[in-house]
Amino acid sequence: MKFFIDTANLAQIKEANDLGILDGVTTNPSLMAKENIKGHDAIMAHYKTICEIVDGPVSAEVFGTTFESIIEEGQKLAAIHENIVVKVPMIKDGIKAIKWFTDNNIPTNCTLVFSAGQAILAAKAGATYVSPFIGRIDDSNWDGVELIKQIVNIYNTQGFLTEVLAASIRTPLHIVKCAEAGADVCTCPLSSILGLLKHPLTDLGLQQFLNDASTMK
Ligand code: G3P
């Protein structure tokens, strides 16, 4: 399973990249707004900087919701860097646009996916990635990981090549469950990635080893 970081924060992207286990980055308009980036040129420059930090796919989301506006924005985003993946919402014009990008060799990430039916449409349109939002599904009293399992099963059964990118990750356990479910990619906040490191027995064991090591100096 590939690890992407789900943020537009450059310090966090650098920290995750320095770990050596980062495969890519995803952003969305909310994450970009959090970084207080204003205006078209600043947005484009920010994506370019992210692409210069991480050698892997970087999802940049369109703001438009009509076929024409998605195509126009997506082409501009794709021109920033060869690693840009155009992130498109799961709407009717979004599906049409994903098909257009597929036919024009521009990689896409179909976002805001909450059902297996939506994931089938994204795959039919040729999306490179499909992004089910598992944390938000859990928030609404459904089971996000079950949706990942269902989509992985459908894609394997049907031979779809679209990669299942588990998004809206909230905890380290989400990452473990997505790995078990067969997700191709997990996009996570830095806190969830770092949370994977933690176990109290590791801390206790290390303390004991350090204590014993100090007696041998
Ligand atoms: O990648 C989508 C993700 O950023 C949404 O996460 O926590 O806002 O549901 P969240």
Side-chain angles (χ1 to χ4, degrees):
M1 186 174 74
K2 284 172 268 191
F3 271 49
F4 290 179
I5 187 165
D6 194 27
T7 184
N9 181 277
L10 298 181
Q12 291 189 14
I13 292 169
K14 279 183 194 140
E15 186 175 340
N17 196 52
D18 284 350
L19 270 176
I21 52 88
L22 193 66
D23 299 298
V25 181
T26 54
T27 63
N28 63 39
S30 306
L31 295 170
M32 291 290 279
K34 255 194 200 171
E35 302 309 310
N36 211 20
I37 303 155
K38 303 252 189 260
H40 172 268
D41 291 355
I43 292 170
M44 295 287 165
H46 199 79
Y47 287 134
K48 190 160 184 281
T49 306
I50 295 174
C51 290
E52 283 161 359
I53 298 170
V54 179
D55 185 18
V58 173
S59 287
E61 189 159 342
V62 297
F63 295 171
T65 53
T66 62
F67 175 74
E68 292 74 17
S69 64
I70 295 171
I71 297 298
E72 190 186 336
E73 269 185 80
Q75 284 178 295
K76 284 183 188 154
L77 290 168
I80 297 172
H81 192 280
E82 61 184 3
N83 285 345
I84 289 284
V85 174
V86 180
K87 203 169 175 188
V88 180
M90 165 46 73
I91 53 175
K92 197 171 169 189
D93 278 29
I95 287 297
K96 275 174 68 180
I98 288 170
K99 178 68 172 77
W100 188 91
F101 288 128
T102 304
D103 292 343
N104 287 277
N105 295 316
I106 293 175
T108 52
N109 176 352
C110 184
T111 190
L112 288 168
V113 166
F114 293 91
S115 75
Q118 292 177 325
I120 291 171
L121 269 184
K124 286 292 290 177
T128 315
Y129 302 99
V130 66
S131 287
F133 276 29
I134 72 165
R136 293 191 196 183
I137 292 172
D138 289 359
D139 292 344
S140 58
N141 282 326
W142 292 78
D143 188 336
V145 173
E146 282 303 314
L147 178 61
I148 298 294
K149 284 186 200 164
Q150 192 183 15
I151 296 171
V152 167
N153 183 33
I154 291 169
Y155 282 10
N156 287 342
T157 304
Q158 297 295 332
F160 287 133
L161 299 177
T162 300
E163 293 192 35
V164 180
L165 190 165
S168 185
I169 296 290
R170 303 280 171 76
T171 63
L173 186 58
H174 265 156
I175 302 176
V176 174
K177 292 286 178 191
C178 286
E180 277 183 336
D184 299 288
V185 189
C186 220
T187 190
C188 325
L190 181 62
S191 57
S192 297
I193 298 175
L194 296 179
L196 291 173
L197 288 165
K198 296 204 186 311
H199 197 286
L201 291 179
T202 303
D203 298 340
L204 281 171
L206 180 62
Q207 194 54 57
Q208 184 69 54
F209 288 156
L210 291 175
N211 291 346
D212 292 340
S214 71
T215 66
M216 294 184 284
K217 277 183 186 158

